[in-house]
Each structure stands twice: as structure tokens, then as C-alpha cells.
Amino acid sequence: MVKKVKIEDCANYISCGDCLGARDPFCGWCSLENRCSVKSKCLSSDDPLRWLPFDSNKCINITDVSPRQTPRQVEAKIQLTVDQLPPLTTGYVYSCVFGNVMTTVAMTTSNGVSCDTAQISMLPKSMPGKDHITLTLGIRSSESSTVFVEDTFTFFDCSAHTSCTTCVSSQWECDWCVYSNLCTHNSSTCSQTVVTGQNNPVTSSTKGASFCPRLLNTTSIFLPDGVSQEITLTGVHLPMPMPGQDGYMCVIDIPPTAVQVPASRVNNIIKCQAHAYSYTASQGSLQARLRVIWNGGYMLDDPMVTNVTLYKCAMLGSDCGSCLGLSRNTPYQCVWCGDTSKQCKYTKSCTSGSVQACSSITINKVSPLSGPIEGGTSVTIDGSNLGSEYSEVMDAVTIAGMPCRPNATLYIVSKRIVCQTDSVSAVKTGPVIVTINGITQQWTQEFSYKDPTVMSIIPSYGPKSGGSRVTIHGRSLNAGNDIQAYIGGVICQIDRSQLTENTTVCSTGAMSMPTTDTEVKMTFDLHPRVLPGAFNYTADPTITGITPLKSFISGGRQITVHGTNFNVIQAPKMFIMKGSLRSNTTVCNIQNSSIMTCQSPVAPVEIKAVVNRSLSKRALSPTEASVGFIMDNVMSVQNLTYYFPNVLSSLVYVMDPVYFKFKEKDGIHIQKGDNLVIEGRNLNLASESDEVLVMIGQEGCSITSLAETQLVCRTPATQPAGSKENELPWVIVSVGNLKYDIGQLQYEVEEGLSPAVIGVIAAVAAVLIIIIIIILVIHRRKTVIAKREYKHMQIQLDTLESNVRNECKQAFAELQTDMSDLTNDLVATGIPFWDYHSYAFKVLFPGVQDHPVLHEPNAYDSQQVNIEQGMKCFEQLLNNKVFLLHFIRTLEAQKTFNIRDKVNVASLLIIVFIKKMDYATEILRYLLEELVEKSVSSKHPKLMLRRTESVVEKMLTNWLSLNLYGYLKSSAGNSLFLLYKSIKLQVEKGPVDAVTADARYSLSEERLLREKIEPVTLTINIVQDGDSDNDTVQCKVLDCDSITQVKEKMLDALYKHIPFSNRPSVKDLELEWRHGRSGHLTLQDEDVTSNTDEGWLRINTLSHYKVPDAANMALIDSFNNTLKTNGDFNTTLSSINSGTPMITDVENGSRQYHLVKQQDDGQQREGRHNMISEIFLTRLLSTKGTLQNFIDNVFQTILDAQSPLPVSIKYIFDFLDESATRHGITDSEVVHTWKSNSLPLRFWVNIIKNPDFVFDVNKSHIVDSCLSVIAQTFMDSCSTSEHRLGKDSPSNKLLFARDIPKYKKWVEKFYSDISAMDAISDQDITIAMNDLSRNYESHFNKTSALLELYQYATKYNAEVLEELEDSPEARSQRLPSKLEEVADTITA
């Protein structure tokens, strides 16, 4: 076998260093094209500097840029020194490219190039808080249109600095104009004092931040609330205001306002005028910023940030003790006033004299009230007036006659004393007494010294993993403040709510191995009490078997668990896990040390959803869940899959059994014989006969048989009694958590049929026979009449078809003439394709005019750096395949993650990876494999890719759209554009209703004008002031056209070579009729001459104004200028959509109409002819026949596998074929449907319906409806199902009924030809994706896209982290912590 392989792979090398470093003799660096290639594919490669071979010494690079920076306000000339700059072919030039902002022409020098910054007005603004912008500075050749070498260049802006210190300390040549309060690069404009920047090479005696006018550090400033005070500040280099300038002011920012007071300057001293400062906040003190300004708004530098402290004595000192503490221990000037107010006040505000000691002590609480006799108990005493400083309470407390030593650290002035008890020799009780400054206060309850004793522990055993809840018995077990319990030296966590005098409940800790006779110890304020050899740590329980392993989703089935050491567990429970989802627990009953029984839990929501979609046992999807147990703190039984891999521990959930009620109308079943049969479904999927209980009243029904759809049980010999007297018994079936009321039961009482009953049955049978005979006769007569009507209708249709054929021939000839003119124009001007960026945005975000990805992130200055850094970290995570796949799966698992979110995430991911399409392709393939896996396990694998129900489906749409952009421009776009233009031209040949958008020529029945209107075609001359008569532009219009429609047709004639987005808006133009003696007349859709009829206002047309053929018309703009084809005009992207129906309600209450009146029900229209509207359906055939060739050309181009086909199509088709083979799918229709759902449905249908995604054109409503019919026809052609047509079939299917079989053959051949092509290797698709990433330029803001994606990571943060934590691979790469680091970076 001979196979052709490539001997070089130059395209894989991205940089010059990689290319030459690979030492591939076939590869070299194509300098001006900035790529690695073979010599034959590089322009002018014979020049040694244009193509550098692998053995070249070095690559082309910029060795120097002079200058490296310049003020952004000044145009500068830049010299770039370039090593090995290639010479250019005659006629081509170099240019300097500053980022994506501006481009200037470069002049070649002896050692490089020089260029200027002439277009500085185009520079973007600096980021808030930044004083410069740094752009990439590249050199581009007009010969290759590629930037081939880059460096950086900085534009700085001194005016971004608002203080002298930051100005002169900046890294640029910035100076500070003192008397202008301005930072500038040109200090020659300053008057008087200038502080020269430290990086300015000019020599100056006032250079550096030390010469800046500024405040010096001052001592702390304390201002009592509401008391007038003067503030003194010290400064340096303080300017003297010039004549006409304002003096100094002190400004203190006291929320919610700023207080301004005049200030005086004497040398370097500033005195703020006395003022009573006050604040409203309910707090004892408040810090406020103090600023000094002069000349109305010039602020003195304040490097140390001067703050003042405002304070309220009454709030700081709420009682006597705390107030006295303020005056002795803080800088606050507060005293306790001895007057009647009994309040803490500012010193000078207390006129009646202050007190030096408090007159009383209050105790509010003492805790605890007991402790061990060894002492060491920390007793907390809360109250008021408990001393004003620590020295007053050092010896103030006695407890039961023993001193209690206060803790200085825990002492709160006046409010709290924490002291430690002394030891006593025996148990005793006594008062708590506090004595301060001769004043004594005793607490109402006494303190007890106790001697705790530990006596026993129950139970006395537990697993070594801990978690056993044990009860310790003894005496005085609640004595003291710090009580702890230990078993075998390991802490036993005490339940404080269960701590009493005689018992303590705690949970055991874990031991490394089983131990016996372990001591139990309790400590009371660090003093131990020991119970030796009282507890045994046993081996942890193990699981050896679980049966049965099947349950219905409502749970309650008894599960038997086998294992060891179950008897050491107090309250075992069972649960199940599905992924990260955990069910509720059920209680288990321990039978003995090796057997316990549990009830199966209710299935989680996700499992219920899967099971409920199943229709039968055979269609049941895998719904396994892992079983786990909670046994104290034993972790191994919670994850049986890991710790007990040999134990079958997956519980399969199936549908609930359903028992049907008795079928009798009244719900009472007459029981005949001994066996009761109860019908149902899924009865034995997860139930045995001994697990089902059937009760008849108060007695059981013994089950003899249990099948999938039937239960049989033997009824009691005599009928059981009901729950109430004289009531029939109810039949109730119980299984697990389910209970079904089947109905009431009555035993049969045998009686024979009476003669009357037999007679009634015979009479009914006779009547039924007569009715059947009558029906057969009527059916026969109607069949004969239908055949006769069918023959008559066939003759009428043949006549109608002949008439339509003739009309089609005439219309097609006229359209071909117009399209020939259009084709000639396209040769000269080309098709108006959107650029790659605009196309990508329209495809990724259809219908969206603006989006965050088009702008910088909206963030505060302080956040910008954090956000950018955080998004870089987040991008690194997205570039990790493990994280990204888990991230997408987690999002899709959330109920609130709707279709719109899935579409948005898919588009944002494509933007993030638009320069790494090879990685995007790899992720797409992984996700598609998962989608295939899910689809083949479902009942309907054909539905895969039919709808956008997952992220991967929208990603596939986006991926195909970006890959096929070049194919659209080079091949398919031409026929698609001609189809669009042919529809537009044909539609405009006939009348189009401006209100309803219905048209005479349409492919859509919903948009068909069902009125007989015979318009007159007029040729008008478009007047252009200043043009010669030879340049007159003519335009064909209809006399029934509205004025807006005429303006649109005139714009099409004037600007037929101009893209739609660059045309003037029709809303900004007026139509002027210029004729003879009458002068100029402005025509409008509605004016004073408009006709009204019974509340209807008719839109004006040319016939309304009686405009003749060959009339002279002009379009006038808002400046009263006449539009010309070669004139200037303002471009706009919001030109009016010509297909948008007009508003039907006007201010005066009238309703507008154009050609027909639209009734309220929207069905019946009132017009000039009373005709059956269905007669106009032949116009659909006429329009279709006229456009047939253009439709066929589009389908042939799309379905032509012989033309250069993008590798992405072959790649995705091969993937689908391989997936079908891998999953054993032999039905060819399934693979055919997958392919149709991928390329035709997800790409071509979208492009056919929306040509405005590809071309810069306007798509009207009527054109849109026609394209929708064509797109649906294309999709029908890709389907494998046969469409049975009838009189009720949609008109669009009837319209193309004869064509679809032909189109289907084209589709089958297209798929077959692609399958026969050589396979696309991973290397080929990687090269194609790298070319796509490199060749097309987009202007999306990646940071904004990452920020939009990160919002989903934030919204579902807990779920994403849980998913990552559950993945061993994610944990091994520290992905959970890395995601948390992103949040930390952003919020730093």
C-alpha cells in the first residue's frame, strides 16, 4: 500500500525562533508575511532577507526605538532600528502600526524606518488611575498587509496627576505648576513657581517632591462634638495666593457632608478658624479626613493623610466608671458631671464640677456559679461602675471568702471583671463580693466549690473511627468554666446543651487502632478526674454484601446488609449517591453484629427524571446510584466503591409499581371465586410477592402470584367487614413507601338473568345491525360523488397550470434581464461581504446590537488591575481541559441554567478561544462524544443536534460558522447573494403593502397579497444638483408605492454600489417632486391631503399625488441638500428596515392602511374586489417558477462536494460516521439525520434565512418570509422521511413537492462523495484551525468575555467546586483551589 505523506510541517511553527530552531531544511521564515513556510510559498523568496533559511544566524527584529515614549498631546517622530530589514518591491511602502489604534506611513532609513505619531487624536483614553498607555508598535508592509515585527511604545499623560507629589515623582518628564495646580510636560507655560519632576533632565533648584507645597505630619487632633475649637496645622513651601486668588480653607469630610471653614496662613503655619464640629452617627467617636485647599479648589498635598477624631463623651462613657476611665486612660477630655444630669461630658461643658469616684456599684451577672476545689475557674462579673482602671479592681473581688485575682487583659473598664478563683481545702459555698473605693456590692446568688467525680460511661464501646455518642455519669459534672472530656487521650466533643449536674453527653474521637480498657478522663478548669479502663474502641464495621440491589424510585424497599461489627453502631442510616447529589437518609435496624435491614431511600430528582422518561422495562435507561451508610464517623462505609470494591453496591432504580383501581364505574368490584386479580404495571420490577401487602378491610389477602402487570391473591373465605358499619371493605395495596386504594370489594351473590333483561339485550343488538347497514350505504354514495368532483377539479388545475406557466416565463425573462445588469455591476464593485469580525458577532449573538465583549470591562479604577489579573488566572483554568469539561457539565446540570444561558456560554467560549481554534476543536470533540453517548442510549437517537438543548450544540453552530466564512466568500456567497437579490427584485416588481408587508409576488402564503391590484409602472428621473444631464439616474417605481417605498427604491438606484450600512437613512430624507410651473413639492406618507374613510387613513402613494411617468424627483437631506451618487453623506448603521410594517394607530385615532384594510380579526381584508382569496395562491407558483433557477443554483453550490470543500465539513462528517460505527449503529438513516442536523440545519439554514449575517444588506419582512420557505425546503430535502401530501398540507411543501425528490438525490450524493474522500487527520485539522486563528482578525475584548463567563462560575460556585472536589484528576491538579484563587484575586 502506498500512502502520500507530507515531508514538511512548516505551518506548525508560529515564531521565527521556532521555525529556524527546528532545523527543518524545507522550512524558512517568510519575513514580510510573518510565517514559517517552504520557499516556494513565500513572495519574492529569492531575496535573502525575504525568506530566511533554517541555517540563518538570526531573525528580523527591532533593536532600538527612539524615543521610547512621548507625551500623548505632542506629535513626535520615532526612529526604529531594525536588524535585517528586507527591501520592498517597487511601489510598496512600510507603515508603523500602533496597536489597533492608528497607522502612519514609515520612511526607510539606513538602519531601519522612521515614522511619526500624526494621528494622536485617535489614541484611546488612559485607564482610570493610569498616566500612560503602552501600545504595540509594529511595522507592516503594504505588500503583505501583515505586521511582521513588533515592539512597544508609550504615550504618557502628565495631566492625569492631580497632586504635586505624584506628578513630580512619576516616571515621566512631568513638572508641577504651583499657581495653576497643573501637572504638565511643558513647564514653559507655567507662571511663577514650578516644581521640576525628578525624571526631568533639566537642572532646577526646586526639583523633586520635597519642594511640593504640602502638610507636615502633625499630632493627633481630637475634637469634642458640638464644641467650638481652632485647629493648627504645619506645612512647607506653602504658596502665597496671588491677587485675584482665594485664600486658604480647611475642609473636614464629616458624613454625609463636608464642613468648610476659613483658614489663615502665617509663614508655614495654617490655622483653621474656630468652629463647632458635629456628627450625626450613633457612635462614640468618628475619624474624618482633613484637607486644606486654596484658591477655591487647589488642594495641598497631604502625604501622611491628616485625620481628626470627633467624639461624644456621653456615648463613650455611658456610666460613671467608664467616663472616669476615659479621662484617665485616653486622650478624650471627658469627665463625669456631678450635677443633676449624671452624665459624661466634655471637661469645659461641665459647669458644676466633676466627680473623681463613683458612688455605687451594680452587678448584673456572675458566671459560672461553681468550680472545682482546686480553683483556677475564670469567673466573669458583668455590671456597671466596676472601676475606672485596673488598679482599682486588683484586690476588689472575693468569692466564698477567698480572693479572686482579676485578669488585666480581660478587664473592661466599668463593665466587666474576669477573675480566677483560689483553691480551697474542701467543698464550700459563699458569696461573690466586689469592693471598689470603699463601696461594696454582693451578688444575689452564692458560688459553690465542688469536687467532681466520674463514675461510669454508657455505652462502653464504639468504633475506632469515633462518632459514638456516649453518656458519662457522675457528680458535679458541670462545675467550672472550661469542662473537657477525653477517652484514650482523644477529646470527646461535649454537647453543652446536655451538660447537667450528673451526666455529660459527648461524641468520641477517632483512634488509629482498636484499643481495650481505655481510660475516661474529664477536666474541670484543667483539673482532671479519671475513670480507668472504662471504654473499648473496636474495629470499624465492614460491609460484605447488600441484597437486593434494585428499588423503585419512591423507595421503602427492605434492603438487607451483611457485614461485621454492626452492633457497635448506635443509629446506622442508609443513603445513595448519584454524582455529586446525595439522597435523604433512611434508618436501619440492627438485627445482630453481622446483619441489619434498611429501607431504600427515595430516588433523587435526577434519577426520577430519567426513570419517568422510560415507557417500559425494556426501554429503561441505566439509573444506578451508589449505596452508602452513615455509621457514626466511620468514613469507609460512606464510599463502598472505593473501600469495598469487591462488594456490589450500586442500587438500580426502576419505575414505581402502579396498581390500577377497579374498572367498575362505581369503584365496587364484584368478587367471583377465591382469587382476586389486581391489574397494574411494573409490579415486579423491584418487588417480590412477600414484599407486597394486600388488605381487604382488616384482613389480609394471601398473594399467590406477582407478574409485571398482574397481582393475584386468595381472598378470605367470608367477606371481611368494612371500617364502618354497613360499609363494604376497601382493598389497599402497600409496597415500600407506596400505598394504593384499589376500590371496594363485594362478594358475588349468584342470581339468574330475568326474562326482561334478556329481551333488552336482543333489542339493542337489532338496532345496532340496522345502523351499520345505513352507514355503509351513505359511504358508497359519497365515494361516487367524490370521484366525479375529482375529475372536474383535475381539468381546472391543468388550465390553471398552463396560465401560471406562461406568467412564469414572462416574469423570468424580465428578472433575467435585471439580474444580468446586477451581475455586470458585481464584476466591477464586488459583493458587499461583512468583515470577519462583524460576521462573527452576528453569528455568535444574533439580533444583538451591543454586547459587553465589544468593550472594556466596566470596573472601578481600583478594581481594574485585579479584574485583569483574575481573568488571566480564569483563562488559564479554561485552558485546562479537565476544568473546562467539568465546568460545562456542572452548568448544564443546573435547573436554572436555561437555553439562553447555554447559547451565551457557547458563544463566549468561542470568543475566548478564537485565537486557539485548535483547542476549541478538541473541546468540541469531547463534548460531542458525550452527546453521542447520551443520544444512542435514548429511544430516539435521530433527535441528536435537532435542537439547541446543550452548550455543545451551539458551540458546533459557532464552530462551523467561523470555519466556513472563507468558503462563503470564495464559493457559496455568490449564488446566495444572487438569490437574495433576485427575490428582492421580483418582490418589488409588484405591489407590497407598507402596513401588512404582504406582497403580490411571494413564496409564503402568510405574506401573500390577496387582492387584485393592477399597478402602473413609472420611470422617474432622479435629479442630482450639479450633475450633467448625461448622468441622470432613472428608477422604476409603481404608482401604488407609498412615499417611503419610493424613497427606498431611489436609494437603491443611487447607491447600488454602496453597502447598506454606509447609506443614508430613509428616515432622514424627504422626497421632492420638481415639476414645471408648480415648482417643488414635498411628498410624504401622511399630510393634510391624505384621504380618510370611516376612521381609516390611507397612506399617500404616487397616484394620490398624480405623479406622471418621467417625473423629476430629488431626495433632500436634513440640511436641504440634494443627494448625489458621488456626494458626501454621513454613514449610519441604523438605516430604516424597509420591510418593517408601519404603525397602524395614529394620534388622531384613525387606523392606517396602504393597499388593503386589515380587519380586527386579522383574517378578512376589505378591498376593491369581492373575490375568493384562494384564487391568488397561483401567485405562489408564479413567484416560485420565476426564482427556480436561483434556488437550484444555491442548492447545487451548497451540495457540491467536488469544489474545494473546507476540511471542517469532512472532519465533522467523519466524526459522526466513526461514532455510529463505535456504537454499533447500522441504521443508515440515523447517520444521515445526524449529518443533516449538523451542517444543513446548524449552518446553512441559518445562513439562507439570514443573508444579512454575511452581506451588508437590508432584509425586509417579505424577503425574510420567502427565504424562510426556501430554508424549510432545503431542510425537507435533507430529511429521510417521506412527506405525504394532501389538501391540508402546508403551501410551502406543496409548492416544492416536485422538486424535493430531486434535491434529496443531491443531498445523498453530497454525503456519499464526502464519505469517499480521504480521511482528515488530526494534524490536518490542527493546521486548518491554526490558519483560521491566524488569518482572520477580530476585535472582541477577551477580558470582557472571560468576565461574562466568570459570572456563571460565581453564580454556581458551590456546585462547580463540589464537582471539582469529586474528581480525583481535578484535585490532583489543585483546580478547586485555583478557582478560589481567582475570586481572591478579583476581590483583593
Side-chain angles (χ1 to χ4, degrees), residues 1014-1032:
E1014 299 297 340
V1016 177
T1017 302
L1018 304 177
T1019 302
I1020 62 174
N1021 300 317
I1022 304 176
V1023 177
Q1024 305 178 74
D1025 292 346
D1027 289 355
S1028 63
D1029 294 339
N1030 296 332
D1031 294 333
T1032 299

Side-chain angles (χ1 to χ4, degrees), residues 425-478:
S425 59
V427 173
K428 65 182 296 189
T429 300
V432 178
I433 300 174
V434 178
T435 303
I436 299 174
N437 294 327
I439 299 172
T440 299
Q441 181 66 45
Q442 179 177 321
W443 180 232
T444 57
Q445 295 173 274
E446 293 188 327
F447 184 90
S448 298
Y449 279 99
K450 298 182 177 181
D451 186 8
T453 304
V454 179
M455 303 172 67
S456 64
I457 182 170
I458 299 173
S460 59
Y461 52 81
K464 68 181 183 66
S465 291
S468 299
R469 193 172 174 86
V470 297
T471 302
I472 301 174
H473 295 265
R475 290 192 302 268
S476 302
L477 298 183
N478 60 348

Side-chain angles (χ1 to χ4, degrees), residues 903-1201:
V903 169
N904 193 38
V905 167
S907 297
L908 292 171
L909 286 173
I910 288 295
I911 290 178
V912 172
F913 302 132
I914 203 164
K915 286 298 182 183
K916 296 181 66 176
M917 287 300 291
D918 54 335
Y919 178 64
T921 304
E922 183 181 359
I923 296 300
L924 177 67
R925 186 179 181 100
Y926 271 97
L927 294 174
L928 282 175
E929 287 174 351
E930 292 181 358
L931 183 63
V932 171
E933 193 82 31
K934 180 179 177 182
S935 297
V936 297
S937 63
S938 68
K939 284 189 60 179
H940 304 288
K942 286 185 180 181
L943 295 181
M944 187 179 78
L945 301 174
R946 179 71 57 84
R947 295 179 294 270
T948 303
E949 295 180 337
S950 62
V951 172
V952 65
E953 288 162 309
K954 178 59 177 174
M955 277 190 71
L956 177 60
T957 301
N958 298 339
W959 184 81
L960 285 170
S961 300
L962 298 187
N963 271 280
L964 297 181
Y965 174 72
Y967 180 65
L968 284 172
K969 290 193 70 173
S970 63
S971 301
N974 184 65
S975 60
L976 184 62
F977 183 73
L978 291 177
L979 173 62
Y980 159 77
K981 292 297 289 187
S982 65
I983 295 174
K984 186 175 185 297
L985 289 173
Q986 181 61 22
V987 165
E988 292 177 351
K989 285 183 179 296
V992 179
D993 195 297
V995 175
T996 65
D998 292 349
R1000 175 174 184 171
Y1001 297 114
S1002 171
L1003 291 176
S1004 170
E1005 183 179 355
E1006 288 75 16
R1007 289 293 179 202
L1008 183 64
L1009 185 63
R1010 299 172 187 249
E1011 282 295 325
K1012 187 174 182 181
I1013 298 173
E1014 299 297 340
V1016 177
T1017 302
L1018 304 177
T1019 302
I1020 62 174
N1021 300 317
I1022 304 176
V1023 177
Q1024 305 178 74
D1025 292 346
D1027 289 355
S1028 63
D1029 294 339
N1030 296 332
D1031 294 333
T1032 299
V1033 177
Q1034 291 187 334
C1035 175
K1036 287 186 178 182
V1037 296
L1038 304 178
D1039 66 338
C1040 63
D1041 282 344
S1042 69
I1043 303 307
T1044 297
Q1045 289 175 337
V1046 174
K1047 290 191 288 185
E1048 290 166 353
K1049 291 182 179 180
M1050 291 173 66
L1051 282 175
D1052 284 342
L1054 281 172
Y1055 299 110
K1056 62 182 179 181
H1057 303 318
I1058 305 298
F1060 182 75
S1061 63
N1062 292 337
R1063 298 182 184 182
S1065 170
V1066 72
K1067 294 185 294 186
D1068 299 333
L1069 303 174
E1070 297 288 349
L1071 179 62
E1072 192 174 83
W1073 178 16
R1074 299 183 178 181
H1075 56 102
R1077 293 169 294 177
S1078 301
H1080 298 180
L1081 177 64
T1082 300
L1083 310 185
Q1084 296 178 331
D1085 285 321
E1086 180 186 346
D1087 58 19
V1088 293
T1089 68
S1090 300
N1091 296 325
T1092 57
D1093 178 23
E1094 296 180 354
W1096 288 90
L1097 184 144
R1098 182 163 190 170
I1099 294 172
N1100 296 337
T1101 62
L1102 293 183
S1103 63
H1104 169 77
Y1105 288 105
K1106 296 181 173 54
V1107 175
D1109 192 23
N1112 293 326
M1113 297 282 185
L1115 291 173
I1116 308 299
D1117 62 16
S1118 57
F1119 299 100
N1120 206 28
N1121 297 322
T1122 303
L1123 249 60
K1124 300 181 289 184
T1125 54
N1126 59 352
D1128 296 330
F1129 51 85
N1130 294 324
T1131 61
T1132 177
L1133 290 175
S1134 59
S1135 299
I1136 191 169
N1137 186 340
S1138 63
T1140 304
M1142 294 184 177
I1143 300 173
T1144 58
D1145 292 314
V1146 293
E1147 292 181 1
N1148 59 10
S1150 299
R1151 299 179 62 186
Q1152 289 182 330
Y1153 80 100
H1154 177 204
L1155 300 178
V1156 296
K1157 296 177 182 177
Q1158 177 72 36
Q1159 297 300 324
D1160 290 336
D1161 59 7
Q1163 299 296 325
Q1164 184 67 32
R1165 294 188 177 102
E1166 178 184 330
R1168 292 168 293 180
H1169 301 279
N1170 185 16
M1171 303 181 66
I1172 301 173
S1173 61
E1174 282 70 16
I1175 198 68
F1176 297 105
L1177 292 179
T1178 56
R1179 291 177 178 174
L1180 300 177
L1181 286 171
S1182 171
T1183 307
K1184 182 252 185 182
T1186 307
L1187 301 173
Q1188 185 71 59
N1189 272 7
F1190 300 99
I1191 298 172
D1192 287 351
N1193 287 342
V1194 169
F1195 287 7
Q1196 284 177 329
T1197 304
I1198 291 175
L1199 301 173
D1200 181 15

Side-chain angles (χ1 to χ4, degrees), residues 220-229 231 251-259 275-291 306-316 326 331-334 346:
S220 300
I221 302 172
F222 293 88
L223 301 175
D225 182 74
V227 178
S228 180
Q229 291 230 2
I231 301 174
V251 182
I252 300 181
D253 298 321
I254 305 176
T257 59
V259 179
H275 181 80
Y277 300 96
S278 182
Y279 64 97
T280 59
S282 298
Q283 58 192 70
S285 63
L286 175 75
Q287 270 210 341
R289 172 77 188 278
L290 187 150
R291 297 175 287 120
T306 302
N307 290 317
V308 299
T309 302
L310 285 83
Y311 62 93
K312 296 178 180 180
C313 291
M315 297 192 73
L316 291 170
L326 288 175
Y332 302 119
Q333 298 181 39
C334 300
Y346 175 58

